[in-house]
Amino acid sequence: MTAWSIFEIMGIIAFAVSGALTGIQKRLDVFGVLVLAVTTAIGGGVLRDAIIGNTPPLTFRDPTFFIISALATIAVFFTYRWLDRFKYTIQIFDAIGLGAFTATSAKLALQHNLDSLLIVTTVAVITGIGGSVMRDVFVKEIPYVFRQEVYAITTIVGAMALYYSQAYFAGNIPLYLCFCITTGLRICCIKYGWNFPVLGMDSKRTVSGGRDSGR
Amino acid sequence: MTAWSIFEIMGIIAFAVSGALTGIQKRLDVFGVLVLAVTTAIGGGVLRDAIIGNTPPLTFRDPTFFIISALATIAVFFTYRWLDRFKYTIQIFDAIGLGAFTATSAKLALQHNLDSLLIVTTVAVITGIGGSVMRDVFVKEIPYVFRQEVYAITTIVGAMALYYSQAYFAGNIPLYLCFCITTGLRICCIKYGWNFPVLGMDSKRTVSGGRDSGR
Amino acid sequence: MTAWSIFEIMGIIAFAVSGALTGIQKRLDVFGVLVLAVTTAIGGGVLRDAIIGNTPPLTFRDPTFFIISALATIAVFFTYRWLDRFKYTIQIFDAIGLGAFTATSAKLALQHNLDSLLIVTTVAVITGIGGSVMRDVFVKEIPYVFRQEVYAITTIVGAMALYYSQAYFAGNIPLYLCFCITTGLRICCIKYGWNFPVLGMDSKRTVSGGRDSGR
């Protein structure tokens, strides 16, 4: 499972970097930036474990991810002025991590006898977006994943693939299938700028998009 | 228990509709609206189960409420422009759901050996307002139930009725008593516009209400 | 353990008072103020218990802290206009409570076989700042502990002291050591106004501090 660990670590780094940059931008102090980054990185998994009763959370029993997210945050403290150059790399890391966590979370849900498609998918979505929702709530923003980008839908498609493919394939094949679909789809979303529609309260406003233009 | 299920389903629909309308109003994308609506509908119960250790949450073991809240949200996507006409019906559904969830949550707390009046009441309140507090936090509002309306107090009175009546009545009578009191009181609050007082930091401001007038 | 209980009760009172004053200032209704105060007081402990799987939470099994926080809130309703005079006393109570909860939470984590330094510290931090983070999120503020004051770091130092000293001292000595360090350090922070640095996104802005000056 070494390749798998590397995928998850890439995700943890990307999530921590996104939390740290948000914290610096919102002018938190260094402790606040550290908490925000670690929360973004491991918050989704801790939330998943608290909800499904897998306590103490995996990350608390084996603090590897915790340490990596703290180290990534400290690295950001010294490099944040130049991180814009690596924006695309961080997005790829994030997509790889999203795929890895979707696969492991969906499998964890199945292992906890949650074998409805809807719930397996929900557990994967909570893990995938939980950290970034907490990050945005803490800095007083409406969660980004609810507003603009196709992010969680890739998790949904990946978790569905894992759920249906496990009847036909043995071993880790469903896990890898889920990973490839989630990560591949997410990279396409980034590359082609796919967005979800927003329903207008008023047809005129939808056409002009006026209410959002000031943001 | 069929009547009971119908009461709970009416509540789930009302909660999901309120979450979906809030999401559309705040211009979330369709995925964000769906997450917000489902969170509003089942969030209180999931929070209750995570806190009292009833994991995985009931809604995750039997996804009926989950499916109903998702279907209600999809229905809102096609009808939200005309839902204002049904505002009163939705409020009645909400009151019925609040009564049903108060009764089942208070009973669940008792079954988990939490037999202090204060805690039984707290568990009922968490279930009743948890979903709408999450909804408001996600869209960057101070939770509505903390500011304006007499909502949770009806849950408190209902849970107290269940707690004290269980010594005198057998079977499901305390449950129905709790339901009738909670729902009846809530409908009175809606009908007569009962509000809670707000304490002023400064007597002048309280009289003029100036600080709030700009909202 | 009577001295210990008194320390914890002083903390619960200070946390509840801070929640109640915030609620009044934000013009919540009396029910909202009560929920906010109780959440600030016991929220950190409930969150800790939900995460580490110590369910139902301690505060739900023995509602003493719950009752004290509710009584403190009711007292604030009648005295909030004059509480400014006791600001320093409340801060001292808060520091004593922080020390007591850091010690008991770190010990609870060790009892749950979470024996990594990082995780013991994290559990103590969640308990110490969890309530005030919830308070600030509910009233739409970026959590104060992330922005301005050295608060949680005293918990971190105290929890580390407990973790390392338990190998050398028997009985309750590590607990008292942790308490003295956390509370002592926190009182120094208040007295000398120690703050954490904020990283600037742009060197000019950091020097002038312009963005924050309007707050």
Side-chain angles (χ1 to χ4, degrees), chain A residues 53 55 159:
Chain A
T55 53

Side-chain angles (χ1 to χ4, degrees), chain B residues 50-53 114 116 118-119 122-123 125-126 133 137 140-143 145-149 152 156 196-203 211-212, chain C residues 21 24-33 35-36 39 46 50 54-57 59-61 63 66-67 70 76-77 80-81 137-140:
Chain B
I51 288 177
I52 69 173
L114 296 167
S116 142
L118 205 62
I119 300 308
T122 302
V123 170
V125 169
I126 289 171
V133 169
V137 165
K140 246 174 41 174
E141 295 288 343
I142 295 183
V145 290
F146 295 172
R147 288 187 293 137
Q148 297 197 20
E149 244 179 301
I156 293 175
F196 258 128
V198 174
L199 300 170
M201 283 305 278
D202 169 3
S203 55
R211 196 179 280 185
D212 263 7
Chain C
L21 289 177
I24 293 170
Q25 209 182 341
K26 293 282 174 176
R27 302 186 60 74
L28 305 187
D29 62 25
V30 291
F31 171 76
V33 173
V35 172
L36 198 69
T39 304
V46 170
N54 185 23
T55 51
T59 336
F60 278 31
R61 280 176 268 168
F66 204 113
I67 293 167
V76 171
F77 286 154
Y80 66 94
R81 283 171 208 278
V137 165
F138 282 164
V139 299
K140 246 176 38 175

Side-chain angles (χ1 to χ4, degrees), chain C residues 155-179:
Chain C
T155 292
I156 293 175
V157 176
M160 285 171 72
L162 185 144
Y163 185 82
Y164 285 118
S165 67
Q166 61 173 350
Y168 306 102
F169 301 105
N172 283 328
I173 295 175
L175 275 178
Y176 283 106
L177 192 70
C178 169
F179 169 74

Side-chain angles (χ1 to χ4, degrees), chain A residues 31-46:
Chain A
F31 172 75
V33 172
L34 185 67
V35 172
L36 198 69
V38 172
T39 305
T40 310
I42 67 166
V46 170

